[in-house]
C-alpha cells in the first residue's frame, strides 16, 4: 500500500503559506496502515498537473490531491482532473443544494454564478459531499490507482478526510499494521542520547525502526513497527521501551504519540488537583496560549497576565518598583517577584513568570539580547534560572516557553 | 531558472511534523527571481534518495535538500550524497573546530565520536560552514545542476540559506525579476470578490498573474509579475492596484507582502500614539501572543490578562459577579465589562475582550458551542458583537482572534 500526497498551488511554491494539509493527510493514512511514500507540491499549471498525474498513475495505490478547487479563475484542478480522465462536468443537484444552503442560508449572501459552478463535477467521479464548504471532493478509480481530489481549506479537507476518505480506504483495501511509539525527552542532546542507547539501538529487531527528532532543548525518539499482527507489534514496541527506561528514563517526560509537554503537564496538574497561573513578559502570552490550547485546561489553569511594560509589572503585578530600579526589569529578583505575586493574585498553587530581552533591539533593560529569567513559584518556595537563548526573537521565545515547561515539569513530577 | 526543494525525513511522511523549511527556502529563492517548480518530501531511504537525485539531475538548475545530516544512525543524507557523486568522505579541520567550539565551549559537554564524525564531508563538495550548529551544509555542482544539502533544524537551515546559499546563487546566476504584491482583505468571501473584480482580472496584462488565498474571514489577493525589467514590473503592479482601489478599497486592510493584520494594527497604533491591552477568556492569550510577536509591540501594547475561570474574571478583572449570575459568563454584558475594566486596569486607550465557549464541551456557561462575544473598548465607548464560529475548538479560537483584529482595525482606522 503506497500513497502519494500532492498539493496544488503557487502560494505554497513561493513560500507564502506553509502546507499543513499533507501532514494531516499522511498522519491519517499512517493510522490505518497506509504509508505515504512521497509528498509533492506543484503549481496551478495544467501541464504540470497532467504530467504529475501521469507520473503517479499505477506507481501508487492512492493519490490524494488538495487545492485548486475554489470558485475563482486560478482554481484549475477540477477542469484538469476532468481532462486527465477524459470526462465531462455535469451539475450535481445535491451539491448545488448544499452550496445554496451555505451561501444563502448560513452566510445570508446572494448566490453567484461562480458559486453555482461549484456544483459541477466530473460525470464518472464519486462525489465526496463537503458539508462544511462549497467545493465538493472527487474520487476516481483509474487503472490501479485511486485519485482523490480535495479542497485546500484545511478544515474542509479535514472534514472530508475524516468522514469520507478514511472510511472508504478502510473498506476498500487490506492493509498491514503500523505501530508508532514516541518518547519525549527533555534536556539532553541528540548525540549524547545516541551514544547512551547505541547498544540497545543495534539490537532492535529489524521490523522496528528508530528515528531521532531533535528540536531546541528536546529530542523525540520515535519507534515504528510494521507487520501483519498488531498485537505482536505492540508487544514488541512495549518490550523495547521497557529496556530503554533504565538507560534514559530520567529524561523521558512522555510516552504518548505526539504528547506535548503541555498535555503531560495538564494531566499532572489535573491528577494532583493543583492549579497554575502565568505572568509573562518576553513570552508575550505564548505560555498561556499553549496551556489553554489543551481541551479541559480550565480545570487547572486559572489565567495569566501578559505584563509587557514596566508600568504593568508594577501596577497590575504589584512588582516593587525599587526592585526594578535596583536590579533592572530583566533580573532574577523581578522574575521571582512576578511569579510570587501572580500566584497570590490568581490564588493558584503554582505560577510561572518570564522576563527577558527577546530582541531584536534592547527594550526597557540593558540585558544582553537573548537573556531570559524564568521563575517558578510552588506551594512552598520560588526559584529562578537565568538563560541566554541567543537570537533571533522567535527562537528566544520558543526556547523560553519550552524551558519554562521543562522546569515546571521537573518540579511537579518531584512530589 | 528552475529550482526544486527536497526534504528528507520519515517524520514528515508520517505526518509527525509539518515541513516549514521548504516554505522558507522557496520564499528566499523567489525574492532573488528563482522560481521553485516543485517541492518534494521523501523518506530516509537510500534508494529513494538516489532515485530522486537522478530524477532532478539536469531537469533543475538548483536543487536544495534539507534533513538527514544529524549525527545519528537514521541520518543517511551525507553518505548517500557522497555515493551519488562517487565521492569519499574526508575530515574537514575547520568544521571539526566548529563542532568542538559548540559542544565543549557552548554546551560544556564532552565531545563524542558521533560529534567528531560530523566534520566528515565529501572531498569534492564546497563546505557551507554552519556557525549555529554542528552539521555543515554541502554544495556540489554536477553537470547542469547545483545540489545543495542543508541540515533540517530550522534555524540552522535559515542561517545557511541567508548567509551562504543566497549570496552564492546571486553571484552565480543571471536571474529574471519576480515582483509580488499581496493585498489583505477582510470580511468578504472569495466568490463575491471574484465577481466584483472580474472585469479588472480579465484585463490584467499577461505577465501578471492573480491568485486568491482564502482563509476563514479573510482573503489575500496576490499579484505576481515576471520579467527582465524590475522597475517596469513594479510600475505595472502599482497601476493595477490603483485600478482595484475604487472597486474593493473598502475591504483592503494592507498592501505589504505578507503583512498580517497584527502588523498593520501595530503600525496604526504606533502612528496614532495610542495603546492597547487585552482581556482574553476563550482565546486563552492568543491575541496577546500574536500582538507581541511583532517586534516593537512594547510601544503600544501594555499587556493582557488571560481570565480563564469565572473567579479570575471577578477577582482580577473585577467583573461584577451579579452580571455573571444574571447574564452568564458568556454574554455581551460580561464581554463589555471585561473590556472596560481591562482598559482601566492597564490604563490604555483601547482594550479587546473575548468570552466564549470554544468546546469541545460546555464549561461554566450554557452557551452553545462556538458562541463568542468580542468587545472593544475605545477612548469614548465600548461595543460588543456576538458570533457563532461552530466547531472544532481550534477553528473557534482562530476565527475569534481574527475577528477581534478585524473589529479593532475597523474601529481604529475610522479616526
Amino acid at each position: 500500500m503506497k500513497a502519494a500526497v500532492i498539493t496544488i498551488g503557487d502560494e505554497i511554491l513561493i513560500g507564502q503559506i506553509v502546507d499543513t494539509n499533507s501532514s494531516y493527510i499522511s498522519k491519517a493514512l499512517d493510522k490505518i496502515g497506509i504509508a505515504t511514500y512521497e509528498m509533492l507540491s506543484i503549481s496551478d499549471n495544467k501541464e504540470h498537473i497532467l504530467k504529475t498525474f501521469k507520473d503517479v498513475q499505477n506507481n501508487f495505490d492512492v493519490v490524494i490531491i488538495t487545492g485548486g478547487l475554489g470558485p475563482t479563475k486560478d482554481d484549475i484542478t477540477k477542469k484538469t482532473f476532468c481532462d486527465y480522465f477524459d470526462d465531462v462536468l455535469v451539475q450535481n443537484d445535491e451539491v448545488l443544494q448544499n452550496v445554496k444552503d451555505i451561501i444563502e442560508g448560513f452566510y445570508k449572501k446572494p448566490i453567484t454564478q461562480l458559486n453555482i459552478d461549484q456544483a459541477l463535477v466530473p460525470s464518472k467521479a464519486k462525489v465526496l459531499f463537503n458539508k462544511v464548504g462549497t467545493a465538493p471532493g472527487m474520487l476516481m478509480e483509474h487503472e490501479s490507482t485511486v485519485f482523490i481530489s480535495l479542497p485546500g481549506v484545511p478544515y474542509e479537507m479535514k472534514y472530508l478526510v475524516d468522514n469520507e476518505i478514511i472510511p472508504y480506504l478502510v473498506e476498500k483495501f487490506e492493509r498491514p499494521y503500523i505501530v508508532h511509539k514516541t518518547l519525549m525527552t527533555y534536556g539532553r542532546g541528540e548525540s549524547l542520547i545516541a551514544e547512551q542507547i547505541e547498544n540497545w539501538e543495534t539490537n532492535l529487531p529489524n521490523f522496528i525502526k528508530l528515528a531521532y527528532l531533535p528540536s531546541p532543548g528536546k529530542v523525540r525518539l520515535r519507534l515504528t513497527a510494521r507487520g501483519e499482527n498488531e498485537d505482536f507489534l505492540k508487544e514488541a514496541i512495549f518490550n523495547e521501551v521497557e529496556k530503554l527506561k533504565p538507560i534514559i528514563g530520567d529524561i523521558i517526560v512522555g510516552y504518548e504519540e505526539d504528547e506535548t509537554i503541555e498535555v503531560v503537564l495538564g494531566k499532572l496538574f489535573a491528577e494532583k488537583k493543583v492549579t497554575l497561573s502565568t505572568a509573562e513578559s518576553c513570552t508575550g502570552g505564548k505560555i498561556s496560549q499553549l496551556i489553554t490550547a489543551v481541551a479541559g485546561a480550565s480545570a487547572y489553569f486559572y489565567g495569566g497576565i501578559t505584563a509587557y511594560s514596566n508600568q504593568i509589572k508594577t501596577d497590575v503585578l504589584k512588582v516593587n518598583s525599587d526592585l526594578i530600579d535596583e536590579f533592572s526589569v530583566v533580573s532574577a529578583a523581578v522574575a521571582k517577584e512576578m511569579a510570587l505575586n501572580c500566584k497570590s493574585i490568581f490564588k493558584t498553587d503554582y505560577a510561572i513568570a518570564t522576563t527577558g530581552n527577546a530582541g531584536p533591539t534592547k527594550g526597557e533593560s540593558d540585558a544582553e539580547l537573548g537573556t531570559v529569567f524564568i521563575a517558578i513559584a510552588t506551594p512552598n518556595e520560588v526559584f529562578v534560572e537565568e538563560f541566554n537563548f541567543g537570537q533571533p526573537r522567535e527562537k528566544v521565545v520558543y526556547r523560553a516557553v519550552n524551558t519554562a515547561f521543562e522546569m515546571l515539569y521537573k518540579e511537579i513530577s518531584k512530589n
Side-chain angles (χ1 to χ4, degrees), chain A:
Chain A
M1 281 297 302
K2 275 167 62 176
V5 177
I6 299 172
T7 49
I8 297 177
D10 289 351
E11 63 275 22
I12 291 167
L13 290 175
I14 68 164
Q16 190 162 30
I17 65 163
V18 168
D19 166 32
T20 55
N21 285 353
S22 299
S23 169
Y24 187 86
I25 293 168
S26 60
K27 191 177 203 164
L29 293 177
D30 181 83
K31 281 205 180 119
I32 58 165
I34 299 177
T36 299
Y37 195 70
E38 236 171 68
M39 290 174 180
L40 191 64
S41 294
I42 59 173
S43 65
D44 304 301
N45 171 291
K46 188 176 167 181
E47 283 66 43
H48 200 173
I49 298 173
L50 289 175
K51 178 190 173 298
T52 304
F53 283 9
K54 281 191 200 105
D55 287 347
V56 294
Q57 179 75 59
N58 304 338
N59 288 320
F60 294 91
D61 302 289
V62 183
V63 175
I64 301 185
I65 304 138
T66 65
L69 293 185
T72 55
K73 287 191 186 174
D74 60 324
D75 292 306
I76 61 166
T77 302
K78 189 160 69 181
K79 184 89 190 44
T80 311
F81 197 83
C82 216
D83 287 355
Y84 181 75
F85 298 108
D86 203 14
D87 200 357
V88 291
L89 291 172
V90 294
Q91 183 168 299
N92 181 302
D93 292 338
E94 213 172 331
V95 173
L96 184 59
Q97 190 55 52
N98 183 49
V99 171
K100 283 183 179 164
D101 289 348
I102 290 176
I103 302 290
E104 298 176 341
F106 189 78
Y107 287 111
K108 317 275 183 219
K109 300 215 165 141
I111 199 159
T112 69
Q113 186 57 45
L114 291 179
N115 296 137
I116 293 169
D117 289 347
Q118 296 209 272
L120 295 173
V121 293
S123 72
K124 293 183 274 182
K126 171 176 158 65
V127 173
L128 308 170
F129 282 100
N130 174 4
K131 288 190 187 148
V132 296
T134 52
M138 306 171 288
L139 185 152
M140 194 82 96
E141 299 182 5
H142 188 67
E143 298 172 9
S144 60
T145 302
V146 179
F147 287 82
I148 299 167
S149 169
L150 303 175
V153 176
Y155 68 84
E156 299 184 21
M157 175 280 301
K158 287 180 190 176
Y159 172 83
L160 287 171
V161 167
D162 295 349
N163 296 286
E164 298 280 345
I165 312 306
I166 296 300
Y168 165 85
L169 294 172
V170 165
E171 177 74 26
K172 182 169 171 77
F173 293 102
E174 295 241 343
R175 295 145 292 110
Y177 289 98
I178 304 180
V179 176
H180 296 292
K181 187 81 185 172
T182 299
L183 312 181
M184 295 273 303
T185 76
Y186 264 75
R188 193 170 299 159
E190 188 184 7
S191 317
L192 214 56
I193 296 175
E195 301 240 333
Q196 290 184 290
I197 66 176
E198 187 179 6
N199 195 30
W200 170 87
E201 186 176 353
T202 310
N203 290 313
L204 279 175
N206 58 12
F207 60 90
I208 299 185
K209 204 175 160 187
L210 172 72
Y212 294 80
L213 309 169
S215 46
K218 60 182 177 186
V219 177
R220 283 184 291 182
L221 301 175
R222 189 192 61 237
L223 289 161
T224 304
R226 279 168 215 266
E228 300 305 318
N229 182 330
E230 191 177 16
D231 289 337
F232 172 77
L233 298 176
K234 282 189 173 164
E235 196 185 321
I237 292 254
F238 176 85
N239 290 338
E240 293 305 329
V241 171
E242 286 303 305
K243 287 185 213 161
L244 206 50
K245 283 183 184 171
I247 317 174
I248 53 163
D250 58 320
I251 55 166
I252 299 176
V253 305
Y255 292 95
E256 292 304 310
E257 192 192 345
D258 299 318
E259 191 162 59
T260 62
I261 197 160
E262 307 92 86
V263 172
V264 176
L265 278 171
K267 285 185 187 163
L268 283 169
F269 271 85
E271 209 176 281
K272 290 172 188 282
K273 299 199 194 331
V274 287
T275 55
L276 177 66
S277 57
T278 53
E280 304 184 60
S281 179
C282 62
T283 51
K286 180 91 184 162
I287 295 176
S288 154
Q289 185 244 318
L290 287 174
I291 292 170
T292 59
V294 178
S298 57
Y300 49 86
F301 183 66
Y302 282 5
I305 291 173
T306 305
Y308 219 57
S309 69
N310 279 0
Q311 185 215 324
I312 302 310
K313 291 188 185 78
T314 53
D315 285 11
V316 183
L317 268 175
K318 311 294 179 200
V319 173
N320 189 329
S321 63
D322 294 347
L323 270 187
I324 296 180
D325 294 342
E326 192 177 341
F327 299 102
S328 126
V329 67
V330 177
S331 64
V334 169
K336 281 163 88 170
E337 185 94 344
M338 285 170 69
L340 282 174
N341 294 1
C342 179
K343 190 180 97 157
S344 110
I345 292 169
F346 285 97
K347 302 197 180 91
T348 52
D349 303 302
Y350 290 82
I352 306 177
T354 61
T355 179
N357 202 340
T361 55
K362 291 185 179 183
E364 293 179 277
S365 135
D366 275 338
E368 209 182 319
L369 290 188
T371 303
V372 178
F373 289 86
I374 302 174
I376 309 270
T378 74
N380 312 309
E381 56 158 357
V382 60
F383 62 92
V384 63
E385 286 189 54
E386 178 179 358
F387 302 90
N388 191 301
F389 296 127
Q391 280 293 284
R393 184 180 177 86
E394 60 171 312
K395 181 178 144 196
V396 176
V397 173
Y398 183 86
R399 294 207 59 175
V401 168
N402 266 306
T403 306
F405 285 143
E406 186 188 336
M407 285 169 65
L408 187 65
Y409 171 79
K410 280 193 184 146
E411 183 56 33
I412 186 131
S413 53
K414 256 191 217 164
N415 310 308

